[in-house]
Amino acid sequence: MYTFSQLLLRNISLAIFFIISISTVSTIMLSSLLESKADKHTQIITALTQQIELTNNEQQTANNLLNQLKEISNYNSLTIYNLTGNKLSDFKNTNTSLIIPFVTPEIKQVTFDDFPLKINYQLNFQGELTLVLVIIVISTIVSLLLVVFAVAMSTKRHKAMFDIISQQIKNDFALINNTTVDNKKETIPDSKLLEIPELQQGIADIKLLMAQQLESVTHLEQAAYVDHLTKLDNRSRFVQFYDNQIRQDSPVKFGVLSITRCSELQTINQIHGYKEGDSYIAQVANLLKRALSPYPDGRLFRLNSSDFACILPNIKLKEAEIFTTELTALFNAYQLSSELESVAYTGLVSFDKSKPLGELLALVDTSVSIAQTQAPNSWYSQTDTDILQKNSANYGNQNWRQEIDSVIENRRVTLLVQPIQPSGRNSKVYGEVLARFLNSNEDMLPTSSFLAMAEKLDKITAIDKLIIETTIDVINQKNMHDHSFGINLNARSISDEHFIVWLERKLLRESKVARILVFEITEYGLQQNIKTSKRLIDMLHRVGSKVTVERFGVGLTSFKFFRDLTPDYIKMDSSYTRDIDDDKNNQYFLRLMVDLAHRLSINVLAESVESQEEKHTLEKLLIDGCQGFYIGKPKTL
């Protein structure tokens, strides 16, 4: 809103511009009019000369003509000449004081074909000029007075109008915020509120902006509580839902909690690549949604990379078992179509309002552990909800212990090999041996869960021995001594003195096989005990075997460490090779690592190579070998 002085200055400026414009137009029109009158007067003079009687006395004729002209018009000046240019008679109006340049016509000259005189004249338009000037002055004064009056009235009106608009905005925003206007303040009656389209549109725009801001906040909340891959609510929302919708006062009195664990995610990521892993998780989520569709009150969550949680409110455990049976059938069909060893395992446990979430999760995790020891895609219902209070929480662990012991005792392991493709003719690489474990029914156990439980139950060293022995037996039986094979060693095994002694004796007895074996050890595992790691690597080199440091780049190992340990290969972690064709930073890092490794006579390998573009980029970076689903699928050894 303008102040009085600002509004006055603005309106005066506009008035002056208007007055100047009108004055200019008036002056131009007046000039044209006076010029036209002057030209018409020439015709009058011509007509008059035709009526004058000529005498022998030019002076007398000129005087007579001058007097007659003065009678019919008012002149500023009037002069008569003979044909030789001598002045015969003239007239000057002494009362003429107002002559406006560019408006008052110039002196006109009139000559005649049959009249021996010439006439110069300038008409007197003082009356017309004075009238126009008076009108302009009066208009200016009136305009300025009107401007001052209008500004004063406009200021008063604006103040009243803005008071009304302010009240109207307060009323509208009170509706937006669901609040009421302070009754203690003077309010303006609704009848005085203005119907201003621009104001209403402005308020509507503000409402829209506030709605967009609210929607933006909602999107941010969804980003914090929704898994980006499956579009399911995440663990944070799961905890919030259980605390707010189940533990507190709500229609939910009891129900069933299930956890579905995707057993093949780690294996798929390692062998097929992360894109296939994401596709696998998305498919499992779709199957869970399909199985849950008959239960409109059921809620599905993704707790972490491999676990899904499902809450079935006001459902008995027996009815929930129908849900898991249908789910297992869907998993079995997906397993057949995708050639997986398993898809997922499910654990069930019932709950009521008294059960804290931590206790429920521990119970259902035990159920999943038990299910994983059974047939692929099995489910297990935990009916003993007092198991934690009975100090029997290791019930699931006991099942796993028995299963692992059975695998070791009956040597139920099958071996696959995934090739590593050399990048050049001079590069020497190998195929990595992958182990898969079977239960008593010859069903495949989930590999990642099996190895994790073996490590947890201190059985991993025995598993490493089983894999080494089985690999050596298969190589000898199939006479595969012309190829090299890589075997993974667990970090716990390489720190076990008894295992190192056993391995040395085994390789010395199998010297023909020892020279084609490459033992893969994680960078983290080597860092745990450098002295033991060096002794192991030295021993493996003595018997003719080689060593690969896998998952390189995860830790902060210096190259002095590798110079002292002298491994034969380093296998870059997949985080450096994934989408390497689009990642300039990783390209620079890999090129640096390759250069330093080659200076130490260490070959560099890349895993999880999933596309031609990645392979081509890695070859340009002088990587010695590539491994991944794009290079080759695992095949039976």
Side-chain angles (χ1 to χ4, degrees):
M1 179 179 176
Y2 291 106
T3 62
F4 179 83
S5 59
Q6 291 173 331
L7 193 60
L8 179 62
L9 181 61
R10 187 195 70 167
N11 287 0
I12 287 177
S13 301
L14 293 175
I16 291 174
F17 176 78
F18 173 77
I19 292 170
I20 292 174
S21 300
I22 293 299
S23 300
T24 303
V25 172
S26 300
T27 302
I28 293 173
M29 293 179 65
L30 178 62
S31 175
S32 176
L33 177 63
L34 297 181
E35 188 68 29
S36 175
K37 283 185 176 183
D39 291 339
K40 288 182 180 180
H41 192 69
T42 301
Q43 298 175 3
I44 294 173
I45 294 174
T46 302
L48 184 62
T49 56
Q50 292 176 355
Q51 300 174 7
I52 295 294
E53 294 183 1
L54 296 175
T55 64
N56 294 328
N57 189 343
E58 290 181 342
Q59 183 67 47
Q60 184 180 358
T61 302
N63 290 336
N64 291 335
L65 180 61
L66 179 68
N67 292 329
Q68 291 186 27
L69 289 173
K70 287 170 61 179
E71 290 177 358
I72 65 175
S73 294
N74 190 13
Y75 294 92
N76 283 338
S77 66
L78 179 62
T79 306
I80 301 175
Y81 301 89
N82 60 18
L83 294 178
T84 60
N86 295 324
K87 183 186 297 184
L88 300 178
S89 180
D90 77 58
F91 167 76
K92 295 287 184 181
N93 191 341
T94 57
N95 295 326
T96 301
S97 59
L98 182 62
I99 296 178
I100 303 176
F102 307 111
V103 176
T104 303
E106 298 293 332
I107 295 175
K108 302 286 185 178
Q109 186 181 61
V110 183
T111 59
F112 311 96
D113 294 335
D114 54 355
F115 194 76
L117 299 177
K118 296 187 295 184
I119 300 174
N120 288 355
Y121 72 91
Q122 184 181 42
L123 292 174
N124 186 343
F125 294 113
Q126 184 169 351
E128 288 89 341
L129 294 174
T130 302
L131 178 62
V132 170
L133 289 176
V134 169
I135 292 174
I136 291 174
V137 170
I138 292 174
S139 299
T140 301
I141 295 172
V142 172
S143 297
L144 293 176
L145 290 176
L146 289 176
V147 163
V148 174
F149 178 76
V151 168
M153 294 301 295
S154 179
T155 303
K156 182 178 179 181
R157 176 60 179 168
H158 282 176
K159 184 177 184 304
M161 183 180 67
F162 278 107
D163 287 341
I164 296 174
I165 291 175
S166 176
Q167 183 63 37
Q168 188 168 348
I169 291 175
K170 288 180 182 178
N171 292 343
D172 285 336
F173 275 97
L175 294 176
I176 295 175
N177 298 324
N178 295 321
T179 59
T180 57
V181 180
D182 190 356
N183 293 326
K184 295 181 180 179
K185 297 183 178 179
E186 182 179 357
T187 59
I188 298 176
D190 291 342
S191 61
K192 291 187 178 182
L193 295 180
L194 301 177
E195 293 292 335
I196 304 177
E198 292 79 5
L199 175 62
Q200 294 173 347
Q201 182 61 41
I203 294 176
D205 291 341
I206 294 175
K207 289 180 179 179
L208 178 61
L209 180 61
M210 294 179 67
Q212 290 174 344
Q213 292 293 331
L214 180 61
E215 185 178 359
S216 177
V217 171
T218 303
H219 287 324
L220 290 174
E221 183 179 3
Q222 288 180 347
Y225 288 102
V226 176
D227 175 61
H228 72 282
L229 176 61
T230 61
K231 308 305 179 185
L232 296 173
D233 291 336
N234 60 17
R235 187 182 186 91
S236 298
R237 182 70 78 185
F238 168 72
V239 173
Q240 184 185 77
F241 177 83
Y242 189 83
D243 290 339
N244 296 338
Q245 303 297 324
I246 295 178
R247 293 300 301 277
Q248 298 181 6
D249 292 337
S250 71
V252 180
K253 304 301 180 183
F254 58 90
V256 174
L257 170 65
S258 72
I259 296 291
T260 299
R261 184 161 296 157
C262 301
S263 53
E264 295 302 301
L265 179 60
Q266 182 177 348
T267 303
I268 292 175
N269 284 340
Q270 180 181 359
I271 299 175
H272 301 274
Y274 286 88
K275 293 179 182 179
E276 288 294 325
D278 288 345
S279 176
Y280 161 67
I281 289 295
Q283 183 63 28
V284 171
N286 290 334
L287 294 177
L288 283 164
K289 293 175 185 177
R290 179 177 170 185
L292 192 61
S293 59
Y295 305 89
D297 295 331
R299 289 291 299 271
L300 185 61
F301 306 86
R302 188 184 183 191
L303 300 187
N304 52 47
S305 60
S306 59
D307 288 0
F308 292 89
C310 179
I311 294 180
L312 298 172
N314 300 321
I315 296 292
K316 295 290 186 180
L317 193 59
K318 285 294 182 182
E319 187 176 352
E321 290 176 357
I322 299 175
F323 159 73
T324 51
T325 301
E326 172 64 19
L327 189 59
T328 296
L330 294 174
F331 287 162
N332 289 338
Y334 175 48
Q335 179 185 348
L336 290 176
S337 63
S338 58
E339 299 180 355
L340 293 173
E341 297 170 0
S342 63
V343 176
Y345 296 83
T346 304
L348 296 171
V349 66
S350 61
F351 65 82
D352 54 39
K353 287 182 176 293
S354 64
K355 291 290 185 182
L357 182 58
E359 181 177 326
L360 279 180
L361 290 175
L363 286 169
V364 76
D365 186 69
T366 300
S367 298
V368 174
S369 296
I370 296 172
Q372 286 179 317
T373 64
Q374 301 175 5
N377 310 319
S378 294
W379 57 269
Y380 184 82
S381 178
Q382 183 61 266
T383 56
D384 186 3
T385 56
D386 296 327
I387 190 171
L388 297 179
Q389 284 74 16
K390 295 177 182 178
N391 294 322
S392 301
N394 290 327
Y395 181 48
N397 292 348
Q398 291 298 331
N399 278 265
W400 268 113
R401 186 184 300 275
Q402 294 172 8
E403 200 65 53
I404 293 170
D405 287 340
S406 177
V407 167
I408 296 172
E409 181 180 353
N410 296 284
R411 306 180 67 82
R412 288 198 300 269
V413 60
T414 182
L415 300 178
L416 306 175
V417 60
Q418 185 178 31
I420 299 176
Q421 185 181 87
S423 298
R425 294 183 177 180
N426 297 326
S427 300
K428 295 181 179 180
V429 292
Y430 57 92
E432 181 180 356
V433 174
L434 306 173
R436 300 293 180 262
F437 307 96
L438 308 174
N439 63 13
S440 57
N441 296 323
E442 297 298 319
D443 294 321
M444 197 77 69
L445 293 167
T447 305
S448 57
S449 299
F450 181 91
L451 293 175
M453 292 305 298
E455 187 169 359
K456 179 180 179 180
L457 299 174
D458 202 20
K459 298 287 185 178
I460 193 65
T461 300
I463 294 299
D464 279 352
K465 290 181 179 180
L466 173 62
I467 295 172
I468 293 170
E469 290 176 337
T470 306
T471 301
I472 292 175
D473 291 343
V474 172
I475 291 173
N476 286 330
Q477 291 171 7
K478 296 184 177 181
N479 193 21
M480 304 170 69
H481 300 95
D482 294 334
H483 301 83
S484 295
F485 300 94
I487 302 175
N488 288 278
L489 293 181
N490 188 271
R492 186 172 297 183
S493 297
I494 67 173
S495 61
D496 188 328
E497 296 287 346
H498 297 291
F499 173 80
I500 295 176
V501 172
W502 172 87
L503 181 58
E504 182 177 13
R505 292 175 178 174
K506 183 70 175 178
L507 295 176
L508 287 173
R509 288 196 300 270
E510 300 288 348
S511 59
K512 188 176 182 180
V513 178
R515 63 180 179 80
I516 62 171
L517 294 182
V518 180
F519 290 92
E520 295 193 357
I521 310 168
T522 64
E523 179 184 13
Y524 173 79
L526 289 173
Q527 289 176 322
Q528 298 307 299
N529 190 326
I530 295 178
K531 291 184 178 180
T532 302
S533 299
K534 181 171 176 54
R535 187 163 67 253
L536 171 67
I537 293 174
D538 290 343
M539 179 273 291
L540 291 174
H541 284 164
R542 284 197 308 271
V543 298
S545 299
K546 295 181 179 179
V547 176
T548 294
V549 179
E550 65 172 348
R551 300 197 64 188
F552 176 73
V554 176
L556 299 174
T557 305
S558 67
F559 263 86
K560 179 180 180 302
F561 170 79
F562 287 106
R563 185 184 63 190
D564 295 338
L565 292 183
T566 62
D568 303 280
Y569 303 91
I570 58 173
K571 184 184 289 186
M572 302 303 300
D573 185 70
S574 59
S575 60
Y576 293 104
T577 59
R578 192 182 313 133
D579 298 323
I580 185 67
D581 51 310
D582 293 327
D583 195 327
K584 299 298 182 183
N585 291 329
N586 278 351
Q587 289 180 22
Y588 177 79
F589 176 78
L590 274 180
R591 187 66 189 90
L592 179 63
M593 292 300 103
V594 169
D595 183 62
L596 293 174
H598 286 173
R599 292 175 185 271
L600 297 173
S601 299
I602 299 173
N603 293 315
V604 183
L605 308 176
E607 64 178 355
S608 299
V609 180
E610 303 176 18
S611 67
Q612 173 65 31
E613 292 76 15
E614 291 177 353
K615 179 176 179 292
H616 181 66
T617 302
L618 291 167
E619 288 175 345
K620 289 197 299 183
L621 294 173
L622 303 182
I623 290 287
D624 297 293
C626 296
Q627 177 185 12
F629 185 65
Y630 176 78
I631 303 301
K633 300 179 181 180
K635 298 180 180 179
T636 302
L637 179 62

